[in-house]
Each structure stands twice: as structure tokens, then as C-alpha cells.
Amino acid sequence: MKNFKLFIDGKWTSGSGGTDTVVNPANGEAVGSVAVATADDVTKALEAAKVAQVSWRRLPNKQRADLVRAFSNKIKAHREELARTIVAEQGKLLKVARFEVDVTSSFLEYACDWARHLEGDIVPSDNPNEQLLIHKVPRGVVVAITAWNFPLALAGRKIGPALVTGNTMVLKPTPAAPLSALMLCDLAREAGLPDGVLNVVTGGVEAGVALVESPLTNMVTMTGSTPTGQAIARSAAANLTHVQLELGGKAPCIVFADADLDEAVAGALHSRFDNYGQVCTCNERMYVEEEIYDEFMAKFREAVAQLRVGDPSEEDTDLGPLTEAGVVTKLEELIADSVGQGARITQGGKRPDGDAFARGNFFEATLVEDVTQDMRIVHEELFGPVLPVIKFSGFDQAVEYANDCRYGLAAIVFTKDLAKIMRLPDVLEFGEIYINRGHGELHQGFHNGLKLSGSGGEDGKYGIEQYLEKKTTYLRY
């Protein structure tokens, strides 16, 4: 059992709102507890961050980056403990949890690499003997709110750029899986981060609202559901606080007749079932051109049938438990609704049988075919190992079906036709497009969504820019 208080101004502090229990989604057993922050606790954390930011921003960028890099090294040294904590609190496969720890470190290190490249501009003036100096400066206190599907990596994705650019942070990890993020606090202190630079508060709606609505908050960066993101945007509007949101997704995976079918099977498979389908860029609806439907689906069904549901700590497991029990119930309801309208379950379709699965949030790898575009399963986010499959005819219909969606985060396409490839960025309404490979963004890209998938974005040079304000000085000499 891991039991945590709040981490404020470099110290562990008891919360005023009691405690929450964290449960293992594989077996329902308690694996830890965390303090519940009240609005007063949140204010203390924000005040500590505000005070710390005065001196933190004055450090040279390189010195801040050196401290963050030392923090990354501490994370690497505790890789196995962090990974096993992620497995226990979130249900992730152990091999994938280890990878998540590695990604967390690489997020921090990528941000550190930008320390010498945070550059402003000198712009010619219209007036004689004058120059315009555009400085890029930290926003101040950043509030980071993370989701449960990648509880550690999402924290690292935000901590790195925020701290290297001179901001301080109050992090509120997801209530469903907060333990690994809380383990970062002692590691940050051991690495030499000054008190107040990184604060972590846990809790639910009260803590979240207090963080977003406080005038002490200069920026909110949040990864999570669209309804929560919309609520944050409304709350932040009172102070016109800068908000960066990475929200839901309903990524289409389009397989054209000219695709390399084996390549498409492999890419579509991992893009659906990575992390049990609990990824915002996952293949949530698959469109297969009618000419190759039978051939492609024969290969794809065979691949899905090989996926093994089991204990996430075992090396040969492909699918472990879903983090939230409510997702299992939703999957069952959407599948039943689709079957009632004429769809067919061709693989899986239910909770697995057996005592080993009785107390966990398990669900079989599932294919639903004979699906039509108007069914709910095509439009509502699944966030689990269920895939509706639809036939299409021609490029225009594929694009029409793909864009028929409230979300606009990611799209996955398999085709060897260069003319199609060149047209896709113009016609697909998604912030990320993966062509001839499965999903999975890189640090130097820009991870942003359109429509109800969010605003702002993470990663790369454009992600770093989110954490900086610009000031213009008109200098006459």
C-alpha cells in the first residue's frame, strides 16, 4: 500500500478533505490512498508556486534544464518501482508500464534540449532609429490536470516544458491513478528542484474547480474527457486564463484497396488494442474499402483472435483490465444497441469467463461488423477494446465518413496512392494524420486536436510555445 499526502512547497502536507482509496482494476483490491485537497489546500499550493516562480524564472534556461534533467535521471533510477505502481493503479501491461516510465523521462529531456533555443525576435521598425524586441517569457503558475490512461507520462509531458520555460506548477493527477505521479515528488526534491517549483494536490471536483478558477493560475493544461475540458474552459473564462486542452478522440482508420494489407492489419491492430484501446488516438472506427473487405478482414479477424486477455504483470498478456468499471458497462450497452440494429459480433463481445476475471474490469477483444455509419458505436467514444468496422466505396465516401464526427484528434490511413496521400491533409479534419503506419506521436511533432478534441497542443516547438507569453518592446535609440 502506498499512502500519500499533498506535496506543497517541498513538504508532504495533510489534506483537509479526508482520503481516497486507489483500487487495482484487475482485482478490486486497494493499492493505496491519497489525501483529498480542499479549496484552501489548493490556494496554499498555488501561493507556494507563485512565490517560487519569482526566483525560478530568473535562473538561466540552461540551469533550469540541468535540474529537470537530474529529475529525469532520478525517474530512470526508479523505473521498475514506478512501472509496477502503474500496473497496480491503472492495470497497464508491465512491459508497457516500463515503456511509459521511459517516455516520461524522454518528455523531460526533450524539453531540456530546448533550453538554448527559447529565442525571441528583433523586428525592423517603420520608424527611424527604432527596433522592436519581442521577448518570450514564462506565463507564471501552470496548473496541470492529467488523465488516467497514462498517469505518469502525461505528467512528464507537461512538467518538462512548463519548468524549463520558467514556469512553476501545481499538478493534479487523475483520482483514478494518482500514485505514480505522487512518487515524482520525492524524486524532484532529491534532484534539487527548489521548493514550490513542483507541487502536487490530489482530489476531485472541488480541487479542480479551485485550481482553474483561482486568479493565481496563469495557465491550465489538461488532458482528459471533452465534457471536463468544456467545464474547464468555462471556469477559466472568468479570469481569461490561458487554457490548453487535449480531449477525446474517435480516430477513423481507413484502409484503401491499394494498401499493403499486411502492413494495414498490423497498424490497425495495435492502433486499436494498445493500452486496451484506452488511448485518445486509438483506431475507434475502421473503414475498409469494399473491394478488399473480405480478404483484409479474414487477416484481421485472425490477428484479433490471437490476443490474450489476462494478468497485466504476465509477459504473454495482450489485454489487461480497463481502468474504469463504467467503461465495461458502456461497451456492453453500445454493442447491444448495434446488434439490435443489425450489426454482428464476429470476435469477442463480452467479459471473459473464469474466476481470474471475476473481480476485474476485463473485456474481450471485440469486432463488430455489418455496422452502418449512423449507429451510435460509430460516433460515441469507446475507450476500450471494441472496434466497429464499416465498408466504404471510393475516396470521397471514406473522407465523408471519417469527417462525420464531433472529434478531430487523429486519423489513420493506409494507401499507396500518392495522389490520395497528397490530398489527405487538405480534406481530413484531424490534427494528426498517420499514413501507412499506426498511431503514436513523436516528441518533435505537434499533438493537437480539432473540433471537440481540444485547443492548443503539446510537443515540439509549437508545444513549447504554449508555455510562453510574448512581450514587445519598442526601442528607440
Side-chain angles (χ1 to χ4, degrees):
M1 288 278 289
K2 293 183 180 295
N3 304 303
F4 288 100
K5 299 178 180 180
L6 310 177
F7 190 74
I8 299 174
D9 202 18
K11 305 174 187 65
W12 291 105
T13 306
S14 298
S16 305
T19 60
D20 267 347
T21 300
V22 181
V23 174
N24 187 327
N27 54 31
E29 296 177 359
V31 293
S33 67
V34 298
V36 176
T38 64
D40 287 342
D41 297 320
V42 164
T43 298
K44 291 175 184 176
L46 291 170
E47 288 173 342
K50 199 76 171 180
V51 171
Q53 205 261 334
V54 174
S55 55
W56 179 249
R57 69 178 295 167
R58 290 176 180 162
L59 288 178
N61 298 344
K62 175 66 166 52
Q63 289 185 25
R64 292 197 299 266
D66 287 344
L67 289 167
V68 173
R69 203 177 294 276
F71 179 26
S72 174
N73 290 334
K74 290 289 183 181
I75 292 171
K76 291 178 181 178
H78 291 78
R79 179 180 190 247
E80 191 67 14
E81 182 185 4
L82 285 163
R84 291 189 179 275
T85 300
I86 294 170
V87 174
E89 68 177 343
Q90 195 252 323
K92 190 178 262 91
L93 298 180
L94 178 57
K95 55 191 173 187
V96 180
R98 289 172 177 146
F99 176 70
E100 179 172 348
V101 179
D102 295 341
V103 169
T104 304
S105 292
S106 67
F107 271 131
L108 296 176
E109 290 168 359
Y110 179 79
C112 292
D113 291 341
W114 276 94
R116 290 191 172 101
H117 303 283
L118 301 176
E119 301 165 347
D121 301 289
I122 300 175
V123 181
S125 174
D126 294 346
N127 304 315
N129 301 322
E130 185 175 81
Q131 288 182 335
L132 282 64
L133 310 180
I134 301 178
H135 294 84
K136 296 177 183 178
V137 300
R139 290 186 181 275
V141 176
V142 174
V143 164
I145 300 173
T146 59
W148 46 258
N149 55 338
F150 293 96
L152 194 70
L154 291 173
R157 188 179 223 165
K158 300 173 188 300
I159 292 169
L163 268 53
V164 169
T165 53
N167 303 282
T168 53
M169 175 173 283
V170 179
L171 169 67
K172 190 180 95 67
T174 169
L179 302 178
S180 56
L182 283 157
M183 290 172 66
L184 296 176
C185 299
D186 283 334
L187 302 182
R189 185 166 56 186
E190 291 171 14
L193 284 182
D195 293 347
V197 169
L198 177 63
N199 307 272
V200 182
V201 297
T202 42
V205 174
E206 180 183 355
V209 170
L211 285 167
V212 174
E213 292 187 349
S214 174
L216 296 170
T217 299
N218 302 111
M219 173 181 173
V220 178
T221 171
M222 174 267 193
T223 302
S225 72
T226 294
T228 301
Q230 290 169 320
I232 286 172
R234 286 191 292 268
S235 295
N239 293 313
L240 295 180
T241 303
H242 177 76
V243 175
Q244 175 177 301
L245 303 171
E246 199 254 295
L247 308 177
K250 189 71 179 173
C253 177
I254 304 169
V255 183
F256 285 101
D258 56 60
D260 179 319
L261 296 193
D262 291 333
E263 181 180 74
V265 166
L269 184 77
H270 89 74
S271 296
R272 172 62 281 182
F273 298 106
D274 282 353
N275 204 31
Y276 328 142
Q278 299 172 129
V279 187
C280 55
T281 58
C282 260
N283 167 16
E284 284 253 338
R285 49 195 171 113
M286 188 160 69
Y287 299 101
V288 182
E289 197 154 18
E290 56 189 8
E291 295 98 304
I292 48 99
Y293 186 91
D294 291 342
E295 180 183 2
F296 176 83
M297 288 307 299
K299 292 174 178 283
F300 195 77
R301 290 186 206 105
E302 182 179 356
V304 173
Q306 302 305 311
L307 297 176
R308 178 181 178 272
V309 183
D311 184 336
S313 64
E314 295 179 358
E315 289 296 327
D316 60 346
T317 297
D318 299 301
L319 297 175
L322 294 165
T323 305
E324 295 195 326
V327 175
V328 176
T329 303
K330 181 181 179 181
L331 293 176
E332 291 175 324
E333 194 269 326
L334 284 173
I335 290 170
D337 180 72
S338 302
V339 171
Q341 295 182 63
R344 291 184 302 121
I345 300 170
T346 59
Q347 185 67 43
K350 59 181 178 61
R351 303 172 194 238
D353 299 322
D355 293 342
F357 306 108
R359 293 185 297 158
N361 306 329
F362 293 93
F363 205 84
E364 296 174 336
T366 299
L367 293 177
V368 185
E369 298 184 55
D370 292 343
V371 173
T372 57
Q373 181 67 14
D374 59 338
M375 291 182 182
R376 287 173 56 205
I377 200 169
V378 177
H379 297 278
E380 295 185 22
E381 194 173 16
L382 298 169
F383 231 60
V386 175
L387 180 60
V389 188
I390 303 169
K391 292 181 183 179
F392 74 89
S393 177
F395 183 88
D396 291 341
Q397 187 174 66
V399 171
E400 177 188 351
Y401 282 173
N403 288 341
D404 178 24
C405 182
R406 298 183 304 155
Y407 301 102
L409 183 57
I412 304 158
V413 184
F414 292 93
T415 178
K416 294 299 184 182
D417 186 331
L418 184 59
K420 292 189 183 83
I421 291 171
M422 296 303 291
R423 290 177 63 191
L424 288 170
D426 287 334
V427 297
L428 286 177
E429 298 169 353
F430 299 89
E432 290 180 351
I433 302 172
Y434 300 94
I435 300 176
N436 294 326
R437 78 165 180 91
H439 73 154
E441 59 270 18
L442 298 176
H443 294 336
Q444 64 268 40
F446 186 49
H447 183 57
N448 71 304
L450 311 179
K451 299 180 180 177
L452 292 186
S453 288
S455 62
E458 306 269 11
D459 304 339
K461 65 179 180 180
Y462 301 113
I464 289 283
E465 290 280 344
Q466 301 291 318
Y467 293 87
L468 294 164
E469 293 272 20
K470 298 177 183 66
K471 289 184 177 180
T472 303
T473 300
Y474 291 82
L475 175 60
R476 183 164 290 180
Y477 54 88

